[in-house]
Amino acid sequence: MPDDEHCDGDSRDGDSRAGDERLDDDVTAEQHEDQGPRHADALESAPDADVTVEVDRVRVGKTYVRVSSIGTPGTRAFVLVAGLGVASTYYERLAPNLNEFGPVHALDLPGFAGVPAFKGKVTIERFADAVEAVIDSLGLDDPVLVGHSMGTQVVTEVAARRPHLSTLVLISPVIDASARTVSESMVRFVKSAVHEPSAVRFHAVTAYVLCGWHWFRKVLPKMLVFPIEERGGAVEARTLIIRGEHDALVPRDWLRKLARAFPYAVLREVVDGAHSVMHAQADAVAALAVAHARGEITDRGVVSLQRVRDTSTAKDLDRLTWRDAGLVVKSRFLEVLGMARRDDDVLAEGKSAHAAAVADTQAPDTAIEDLADDAADSSDVTTPDDGGPAEDALEAPERR
């Protein structure tokens, strides 16, 4: 790690036989209409949840990484790294569901979400240096690393450097090796964006404004050429790779190529998801990540691509009262204001208010367990070796 980046304070399953192209299955959770996801213990004291999101800084050279933390203390933390141009708020619906073993830390890297940018040369490796600085500063031994989009490149680089890390989660990993151009990536991004909910679009617009065109343009070429499949070969961690059904940036063939590149990889696709699947289908993604961290998902390799259905996340906001809906709007304003002013106190207030408002809508905790059980049991599903149909021809397997 360069000096200016230090902080202050079971074999490969790359089987290319005919089994590589097996039918992708649709695994659904049998949930009641009135059941919601299981959130962190701190989020379950509805209707007046007292939720605190702590915002801290870890120095990295002349700038810093902003760390937003939620959840109760424990033996093992989750570390979340967002994608190009966006903020850790993309994880606002995922993070509370990951507090199974310890706290959850969502990072805003230099140049994003109002954090001052690096000076000088910018590379994916330099962002990885920053994540390593956070891990060391917080004293995390074997955190579960979670990356989204460009964040998957960053956490892959970290995992390749640190072979003792045991668990990696890649959500919407980029860039498909057959489409590493600005024009093709933009076309695919737009195709995916039309399937995103309005909340994700709002996050994207505010985050890109805070990032600024100059920094975005400076980082984009580095993301386009980063060879994630090459660095994946050096990763010893068990790796869960997730895509959304409508994510044109991350086609199925690309997922299968990554499964051949990483020594231990398991693949999942979330029905109706797009590129920001960890927000719009947060319950399914969280259940998969937790089951993976527990070692409950045992299938692996290119033949492991199976589909999971999220039937609860989309209903979260439908359960909001008018009071809580108003609190969500207010909290979102405070978050944006805090990022724009680089005021961590205001930002923490906004994040905590948002978490409390959403927590007040949560119902009993059985649904996410059901979904986690489905994720763990999905390897029991047998599928015909017929090369795989088009997406709209996929059928749900029989439940056992």
Side-chain angles (χ1 to χ4, degrees), residues 18 20-24 252 256 384-391 393-394:
D20 289 4
E21 301 302 327
R22 290 188 180 182
L23 173 68
D24 309 322
R252 287 179 178 173
R256 292 187 173 105
D385 188 6
D386 62 359
E391 292 182 9
L394 295 175

Side-chain angles (χ1 to χ4, degrees), residues 94 146-149 152 168-174 239-245 247 250-251 254-255 258 266-271 273-278 281-290 292 297 305-306 308 375:
L94 179 69
V146 180
H148 170 252
S149 196
T152 64
L168 186 64
V169 179
L170 307 181
I171 306 169
S172 309
V174 294
T239 305
L240 169 66
I241 307 177
I242 303 172
R243 77 177 291 266
E245 178 184 14
D247 189 354
V250 186
W254 172 234
L255 238 63
L258 288 178
V266 57
L267 310 179
R268 290 294 185 268
E269 177 181 285
V270 180
V271 176
H275 193 61
S276 298
V277 63
M278 77 293 183
Q281 284 81 23
D283 298 342
V285 173
L288 287 170
V290 169
H292 177 62
I297 303 180
L305 181 55
Q306 303 210 11
V308 175

Side-chain angles (χ1 to χ4, degrees), residues 100-297:
E100 294 292 319
F101 323 105
V104 181
H105 307 292
L107 312 187
D108 289 316
L109 297 178
F112 307 133
V115 177
F118 286 129
K119 300 296 183 182
K121 185 179 180 180
V122 177
T123 64
I124 298 299
E125 291 80 3
R126 198 171 181 191
F127 287 122
D129 293 343
V131 173
E132 287 193 285
V134 172
I135 293 174
D136 293 340
S137 177
L138 298 181
L140 306 179
D141 179 35
D142 182 23
V144 180
L145 296 185
V146 180
H148 170 252
S149 196
M150 190 190 83
T152 64
Q153 300 178 346
V154 177
V155 297
T156 295
E157 177 63 28
V158 173
R161 298 176 182 181
R162 299 189 172 209
H164 69 279
L165 294 176
S166 64
T167 313
L168 186 64
V169 179
L170 307 181
I171 306 169
S172 309
V174 294
I175 294 287
D176 181 358
S178 66
R180 287 176 175 164
T181 64
V182 173
S183 58
E184 181 63 24
S185 295
M186 290 304 297
V187 168
R188 293 188 178 196
F189 178 79
V190 172
K191 287 181 178 179
S192 180
V194 299
H195 296 282
E196 302 283 14
S198 56
V200 169
R201 296 172 189 168
F202 173 82
H203 283 316
V205 170
T206 55
Y208 291 146
V209 169
L210 289 170
C211 173
W213 169 245
H214 174 73
W215 185 248
F216 185 92
R217 184 178 60 181
K218 191 172 183 178
V219 178
L220 177 61
K222 310 302 180 182
M223 181 187 74
L224 289 176
V225 301
F226 183 80
I228 186 174
E229 68 278 16
E230 294 179 13
R231 295 303 286 149
V235 172
E236 296 186 14
R238 293 179 303 105
T239 305
L240 169 66
I241 307 177
I242 303 172
R243 77 177 291 266
E245 178 184 14
H246 302 299
D247 189 354
L249 274 169
V250 186
R252 287 179 178 173
D253 285 346
W254 172 234
L255 238 63
R256 292 187 173 105
K257 290 177 181 177
L258 288 178
R260 296 184 180 99
F262 284 76
Y264 190 120
V266 57
L267 310 179
R268 290 294 185 268
E269 177 181 285
V270 180
V271 176
D272 293 331
H275 193 61
S276 298
V277 63
M278 77 293 183
H279 189 281
Q281 284 81 23
D283 298 342
V285 173
L288 287 170
V290 169
H292 177 62
R294 287 174 173 164
E296 296 173 349
I297 303 180

Side-chain angles (χ1 to χ4, degrees), residues 338-354:
M339 287 186 287
R341 292 183 175 180
R342 298 176 182 171
D343 187 328
D344 291 351
D345 291 336
V346 172
L347 181 59
E349 179 184 353
K351 287 179 177 289
S352 297
H354 183 275

